[in-house]
Amino acid sequence: MSGRLVYGIDVGTTKIVALAGRVDPRRGWVEVLSKGEAPSRGLRRGMIVDRELAAESIAAAIDDCEVSGGRVIVGIAGGHLSSFNTEVTLLNRGRNRTVTRRFVRRLEEEARRVELDEDAQVLHVVPRGYVLDGTEGVKNPVGLAARKVTLRAHVVCGAISSIQNLLAAVEDCGVRVSRVVLEPLASAEACLTEEERENGVILLDVGGGTTDIAVFQRGALSHTDVIPLGGQSFSSDLAYGLKIPVDRAERLKLRYGTVLSSAVDPVAAVGLGGRHYNAHFMSQILECRAREILEYARDSIREAHLPTSLPAGAVLTGGGSLLDGLPELAEDILRTRVRTARPRRVRGRIEPIQKPQYSTSVGLLYLAAKNDHAGSESKGARALSFGSIVEAVKSWFRGG
């Protein structure tokens, strides 16, 4: 497979994953050449809380992956992120009224001009569609003629301090960051089909510290949100309820965990390390937390005035999605069909990559390749450094 070497780093709450690969844009396949993974330290719910510990974890994953000499794309998550939909309209006074790429960038810059908190900054302006002289449903206006052009966009914001901390921890490891991407966008790139996005679909990425929500309609991103709960919450709840260490609770969850308490015999017991635990009580603990996460997702989508029952249903991914019974419980709460997804179109000898917990990592490779193909000039994705973060963040992510 030909193609430029690309790198992606998923800085998660429970693990750091670094991937190196090549992407074939014509066939739409990614070939993973190497993988590095390390336990995550210094993060809480997707945000850096100890720069030194976080940098050590990231460095371990980078060394394991043997990343060298390249710029990386990094995923970002955390409760500091927020989003909203907006629309802006400009008159086109260009020659022949033809819409140019420059004019589209002007629309996106206008969409960024919103009043935010002092520490907040627009990260992504993701076009949802364009209206040209009253004509709806235009996806790419470049080259078309129109006097009045309206951009409908989904805008994602984040805290400058949190982004700065993430960049600093990564660049402490001696690599340069070319772009920072909202993690559910990367997961969607790896897991969702174009047909699902066009028909309407909900993506729930259940990570270690957070659960990310992304809703697509008519091929465009309509809603994003971050729930500050994930797989780690299940283990912590089990540890508290059973009065045992978290590492033992994690092993119990992985081996015997289910969120369908009604299917578990009330007197059934499971054993680990010479001790026995009530399986029904365990499932009740896990189900309670799962319901909270799924109900939060349902309410978030409804508050955005979107239905939870979309034609393509809902897709679960991320390591937390592997918890037994979660798809069935999600179907009951969201009132739509649900499937669990792993990264699609993956080639190479790195078999473990084809699991839900690596969806974000693989998606970052796809987005890195797209960014390189489009060119840094047009996408505003030049190399970023810690020292220039405040100035650079103002021009990030042009074109989504």
Side-chain angles (χ1 to χ4, degrees), residues 88-166:
V88 294
T89 300
L90 291 177
L91 291 179
N92 181 15
R93 305 183 191 279
R95 181 180 299 178
N96 301 325
R97 294 184 178 176
T98 300
V99 180
T100 63
R101 294 189 186 279
R102 183 177 178 181
F103 185 82
V104 171
R105 287 199 294 271
R106 280 183 56 204
L107 284 167
E108 292 167 0
E109 285 301 318
E110 285 296 318
R112 292 173 181 273
R113 300 184 188 203
V114 293
E115 289 193 14
L116 301 171
D117 293 337
E118 185 177 350
D119 188 44
Q121 178 64 46
V122 173
L123 299 183
H124 287 287
V125 173
V126 185
R128 300 174 58 222
Y130 300 84
V131 181
L132 273 58
D133 290 337
T135 301
E136 304 265 352
V138 178
K139 292 187 176 181
N140 182 9
V142 176
L144 301 178
R147 180 175 180 274
K148 185 169 73 172
V149 183
T150 297
L151 164 66
R152 291 174 176 165
H154 185 71
V155 180
V156 180
C157 307
I160 292 177
S161 56
S162 294
I163 304 163
Q164 179 175 335
N165 291 337
L166 175 64

Side-chain angles (χ1 to χ4, degrees), residues 32-58:
V32 178
L33 301 175
S34 64
K35 174 179 76 76
E37 187 169 342
S40 181
R41 298 189 300 161
L43 281 93
R44 181 176 299 139
R45 293 179 178 175
M47 293 186 286
I48 305 286
V49 294
D50 188 315
R51 174 173 168 178
E52 185 175 347
L53 286 178
E56 288 177 1
S57 298
I58 296 167

Side-chain angles (χ1 to χ4, degrees), residues 4-312:
R4 187 173 177 180
L5 191 64
V6 290
Y7 299 106
I9 301 179
D10 176 14
V11 183
T13 303
T14 57
K15 69 180 186 303
I16 312 293
V17 179
L19 295 184
R22 287 190 175 90
V23 178
D24 185 337
R26 186 167 59 88
R27 294 185 176 89
W29 283 88
V30 62
E31 180 183 13
V32 178
L33 301 175
S34 64
K35 174 179 76 76
E37 187 169 342
S40 181
R41 298 189 300 161
L43 281 93
R44 181 176 299 139
R45 293 179 178 175
M47 293 186 286
I48 305 286
V49 294
D50 188 315
R51 174 173 168 178
E52 185 175 347
L53 286 178
E56 288 177 1
S57 298
I58 296 167
I62 289 174
D63 291 343
D64 191 28
C65 184
E66 300 180 348
V67 173
S68 61
R71 292 184 300 177
V72 302
I73 186 169
V74 177
I76 189 169
H80 67 99
L81 299 170
S82 61
S83 65
F84 58 91
N85 291 328
T86 189
E87 64 177 58
V88 294
T89 300
L90 291 177
L91 291 179
N92 181 15
R93 305 183 191 279
R95 181 180 299 178
N96 301 325
R97 294 184 178 176
T98 300
V99 180
T100 63
R101 294 189 186 279
R102 183 177 178 181
F103 185 82
V104 171
R105 287 199 294 271
R106 280 183 56 204
L107 284 167
E108 292 167 0
E109 285 301 318
E110 285 296 318
R112 292 173 181 273
R113 300 184 188 203
V114 293
E115 289 193 14
L116 301 171
D117 293 337
E118 185 177 350
D119 188 44
Q121 178 64 46
V122 173
L123 299 183
H124 287 287
V125 173
V126 185
R128 300 174 58 222
Y130 300 84
V131 181
L132 273 58
D133 290 337
T135 301
E136 304 265 352
V138 178
K139 292 187 176 181
N140 182 9
V142 176
L144 301 178
R147 180 175 180 274
K148 185 169 73 172
V149 183
T150 297
L151 164 66
R152 291 174 176 165
H154 185 71
V155 180
V156 180
C157 307
I160 292 177
S161 56
S162 294
I163 304 163
Q164 179 175 335
N165 291 337
L166 175 64
L167 276 175
V170 175
E171 296 199 344
D172 281 347
C173 305
V175 298
R176 299 184 68 195
V177 179
S178 64
R179 197 179 183 203
V180 181
V181 172
L182 189 67
E183 289 194 351
L185 292 181
S187 299
E189 194 72 23
C191 295
L192 300 181
T193 66
E194 290 298 325
E195 184 178 11
E196 284 175 327
R197 297 192 211 199
E198 194 64 37
N199 290 337
V201 66
I202 298 167
L203 177 73
L204 296 180
D205 187 345
V206 188
T210 64
T211 297
D212 301 327
I213 306 170
V215 182
F216 293 83
Q217 290 183 303
R218 293 180 291 279
L221 183 66
S222 298
H223 176 63
T224 55
D225 200 358
V226 178
I227 304 172
L229 300 168
Q232 206 172 49
S233 304
F234 292 109
S235 302
S236 298
D237 289 350
L238 269 186
Y240 180 82
L242 300 177
K243 304 297 187 290
I244 58 175
V246 174
D247 61 341
R248 180 181 289 267
E250 175 74 12
R251 282 181 285 157
L252 280 170
K253 179 190 73 174
L254 294 176
R255 188 175 300 182
Y256 305 111
T258 179
V259 299
L260 301 177
S261 62
S262 60
V264 180
D265 190 326
V267 296
V270 296
L272 182 68
R275 293 188 58 183
H276 290 82
Y277 306 90
N278 184 277
H280 185 259
F281 180 53
M282 285 173 47
S283 66
Q284 287 180 313
I285 293 173
L286 295 173
E287 181 177 345
C288 183
R289 180 63 79 183
R291 284 188 176 275
E292 181 182 10
I293 292 172
L294 293 169
E295 287 171 358
Y296 187 115
R298 177 197 64 196
D299 294 344
S300 171
I301 295 167
R302 287 178 176 174
E303 286 171 9
H305 306 292
L306 297 170
T308 59
S309 181
L310 292 170

